[in-house]
Amino acid sequence: MSAQHIAKARTTAVVLAGGTGQRVGLSIPKQLLKIAGKAVIEHTLSIFQQADSIDDIIVLMAPGYVPDVERIVAKAGLTKVVKVIEGGSTRNETTERAIEALGEGLAEGEDRNVLFHDAVRPLLSERVIQDCVDALDRYQAVDVAIPSADTIIVTRTHGDDGEFITDVPDRSRLRRGQTPQAFKLSTIRRAYEVAAGDPNFQATDDCSVVLKYLPDVPIYVVAGDEYNMKVTQPVDVFIADKLFQLASTAAPQPADDAAYRELLTGRTLVVFGGSYGIGADIAALAESYGATVYALGRSTTGTHVENPVHIDEALSKAYSETGRVDYVINTAGVLRIGKLAETDSATIQEALNVNYLAPVQIARASYKYLAETKGQLLLYTSSSYTRGRAEYSLYSSTKAAMVNLTQALSDEWAGDGVRVNCVNPERTATPMRTKAFGQEPAGTLLSSEAVARTSLDVLLSELTGHVIDVRQQDPTKGASEASGFEQALAAVLDRQADV
């Protein structure tokens, strides 16, 4: 039988959420703790929901908290979750319950792929998931691990004197295990069947069960990620929350002209800051693909974004003339450089009005229109949002506020189907930048047209609550090769030199 006629094995993600919150000082399971506005387990389940290689999801939850997870699943629309059942009192017992649930409804001789993942690892990348699934085409058991950056020591306790080193293993051969751990269902089931005959059976992970009780089965190792951290200690909560805040998302794949035209024809865009630069380019692009566009700006339509009346009038006009508002974009901004102590009150007020209060007013006024169309609000930040710098205090702080506003509103409006995203272009050739810095060497800046094209791709995607970095392409590495968090790390490092 040819390869194309061999049915692909069904792949199930089993999210193990049986732990408690004792080590982080909580009275609830740590997987229900909120990080970046959502329960940890919701972040984790969303990753598998979005992964093309995952067919369905089973959750093993701490006893007494199954209804909590069911509510999260229903509210978030996590359609791949097919079962939420209680876990056991130990990790082994929880896995055994999962194996039993996975076997229900399987025909005799039928097998499937299964990925066991800790619910409290909410930063898993789709790359690791895909690598695990691909490895199961060749192997029956797969682990995920990363090299150890620390020297590992072996100790023993000597009476009341404390611990003493007995060995220092070769660090080059040591790895730190992560999850998911992936198996053919038949393999992990057989390992647990053999283990059941051992009266001293106890294990903290599933690969060690296969290693001990099915020694002839090779366990392949997939490269993990440093940021695939496990939230177990109080400091982990802070670190994970900060990683979510700073993480950027890869720009969506661009559509072809026919797709742009199909998605934009008959849609209405309102672009604040549409007189020139990125805003004007977005307006021109969208209009060329059949959208009705209202490009608004101080110099062209007399629209002052710091004036709530102007905002309301612009949105009302677009709605009355087209019967809908699908997308609202705000690219308006001012860049004022200087030492805060030497900045006059009028300049401070202008920066706050245009860069912060205007987006807030635009969001507030846009909501009722976007809720009707299930549309999207698109805001803009700057590469300086991760860290303020001297003489950019007003600009950096207001741009950081745009990221928080995006993340907050995306949660607040999710139930109404309104998406909110934030584009973060690196240094871009715009009139505002030229006014502040003069002419800069050719090739050192992004073009406003490139940012506009990515902005259009974001508008037409299903993303919400994301910061999307737009950067000049590194010729040595395509964007598709790096995960979102790898791109975020690179972006954060690059921002040290960006303005």
Side-chain angles (χ1 to χ4, degrees):
M1 183 179 290
S2 61
Q4 61 264 34
H5 291 106
I6 299 175
K8 185 77 174 175
R10 191 168 185 81
T11 300
T12 299
V14 175
V15 176
L16 301 170
T20 66
Q22 291 179 349
R23 276 186 284 182
V24 290
L26 297 172
S27 59
I28 62 170
K30 55 194 173 184
Q31 52 272 23
L32 295 180
L33 177 71
K34 281 198 172 183
I35 290 179
K38 297 179 182 178
V40 171
I41 194 169
E42 182 177 342
H43 287 296
T44 304
L45 292 173
S46 295
I47 296 165
F48 289 110
Q49 174 76 25
Q50 295 162 11
D52 292 338
S53 56
I54 299 299
D55 296 300
D56 47 37
I57 305 166
I58 294 176
V59 182
L60 278 293
M61 186 57 190
Y65 291 94
V66 167
D68 296 82
V69 177
E70 290 175 335
R71 282 191 291 271
I72 289 171
V73 168
K75 184 178 179 181
L78 299 169
T79 56
K80 288 186 181 178
V81 178
V82 294
K83 289 181 183 178
V84 182
I85 57 181
E86 283 196 352
S89 58
T90 65
R91 170 64 180 262
N92 303 147
E93 186 181 340
T94 298
T95 298
E96 288 168 349
R97 291 188 182 187
I99 291 170
E100 182 180 354
L102 288 164
E104 294 173 1
L106 281 186
E108 187 176 350
E110 184 182 356
D111 209 350
R112 70 164 65 189
N113 298 332
V114 54
L115 276 63
F116 292 101
H117 185 66
D118 295 326
V120 289
R121 291 186 186 271
L123 301 175
L124 175 66
S125 71
E126 289 195 34
R127 190 273 301 169
V128 170
I129 294 173
Q130 189 61 57
D131 285 354
C132 287
V133 175
D134 290 344
L136 287 175
D137 288 338
R138 294 169 291 150
Y139 304 99
Q140 298 175 54
V142 179
D143 203 354
V144 172
I146 57 175
S148 175
D150 298 316
T151 297
I152 305 298
I153 61 173
V154 180
T155 68
R156 72 174 180 184
T157 301
H158 190 277
D160 296 330
D161 293 334
E163 290 185 302
F164 295 84
I165 293 177
T166 60
D167 192 18
V168 181
D170 179 3
R171 189 173 68 184
S172 67
R173 298 183 59 193
L174 296 176
R175 299 292 182 268
R176 290 158 51 200
Q178 299 182 332
T179 63
Q181 293 185 333
F183 308 92
K184 291 295 184 184
L185 176 57
S186 57
T187 299
I188 191 66
R189 180 194 286 128
R190 185 157 51 93
Y192 270 86
E193 287 171 350
V194 176
D198 180 355
N200 299 314
F201 169 54
Q202 187 176 4
T204 57
D205 73 293
D206 299 308
C207 279
S208 64
V209 179
V210 173
L211 182 67
K212 182 173 182 178
Y213 297 103
L214 299 180
D216 293 333
V217 174
I219 303 173
Y220 181 74
V221 179
V222 160
D225 290 316
E226 285 287 350
Y227 39 79
N228 183 17
M229 61 179 290
K230 188 175 183 180
V231 179
T232 56
Q233 303 294 338
V235 69
D236 300 333
V237 176
F238 173 80
I239 293 171
D241 195 68
K242 186 56 65 175
L243 284 172
F244 271 111
Q245 182 194 31
L246 298 182
S248 58
T249 299
Q253 287 298 312
D256 57 28
D257 284 354
Y260 282 130
R261 196 163 288 108
E262 179 183 350
L263 292 167
L264 286 168
T265 298
R267 302 295 190 268
T268 299
L269 278 77
V270 178
V271 184
F272 293 99
S275 296
Y276 54 79
I278 296 168
D281 289 335
I282 291 172
L285 263 178
E287 202 163 46
S288 73
Y289 290 120
T292 301
V293 180
Y294 292 81
L296 307 156
R298 182 176 305 209
S299 61
T300 52
T301 62
T303 304
H304 293 243
V305 292
E306 63 271 35
N307 187 332
V309 174
H310 288 193
I311 294 169
D312 286 334
E313 288 176 346
L315 291 165
S316 178
K317 182 175 188 290
Y319 184 80
S320 64
E321 292 181 356
T322 68
R324 61 189 301 133
V325 174
D326 298 276
Y327 306 107
V328 177
I329 301 102
N330 179 49
T331 64
V334 293
L335 174 58
R336 301 291 181 254
I337 305 169
K339 296 178 179 179
L340 184 62
E342 300 171 3
T343 304
D344 60 70
S345 296
T347 300
I348 293 172
Q349 196 61 54
E350 178 200 36
L352 293 176
N353 286 344
V354 175
N355 291 349
Y356 179 67
L357 290 178
V360 169
Q361 295 287 3
I362 289 169
R364 185 167 174 264
S366 301
Y367 170 73
K368 63 181 179 181
Y369 301 107
L370 297 176
E372 187 176 308
T373 58
K374 310 298 183 188
Q376 182 177 160
L377 171 66
L378 188 62
L379 303 174
Y380 287 76
T381 186
S382 134
S383 58
S384 65
Y385 84 85
T386 59
R387 183 176 176 82
R389 58 194 68 185
E391 301 192 16
Y392 292 84
S393 58
L394 292 172
Y395 189 70
S396 294
S397 59
T398 54
K399 290 304 178 181
M402 289 307 96
V403 173
N404 284 274
L405 183 63
T406 295
Q407 293 165 338
L409 289 180
S410 68
D411 279 351
E412 194 172 313
W413 295 353
D416 300 307
V418 180
R419 288 163 289 126
V420 187
N421 288 298
C422 190
V423 170
N424 175 35
E426 68 175 340
R427 295 170 296 175
T428 305
T430 63
M432 183 179 77
R433 185 175 180 89
T434 301
K435 183 178 179 180
F437 299 105
Q439 292 296 326
E440 298 174 89
T444 62
L445 303 177
L446 269 174
S447 70
S448 61
E449 293 88 349
V451 179
R453 176 72 67 171
T454 297
S455 299
L456 212 58
D457 292 330
V458 174
L459 287 175
L460 301 179
S461 75
E462 293 302 313
L463 293 174
T464 188
H466 290 269
V467 178
I468 296 91
D469 276 339
V470 186
R471 314 190 68 77
Q472 295 196 71
Q473 184 63 50
D474 179 352
T476 65
K477 186 171 186 179
S480 62
E481 296 178 56
S483 74
F485 277 93
E486 286 170 335
Q487 291 184 1
L489 177 60
V492 168
L493 294 174
D494 287 346
R495 286 172 199 143
Q496 306 308 312
D498 282 353
V499 173

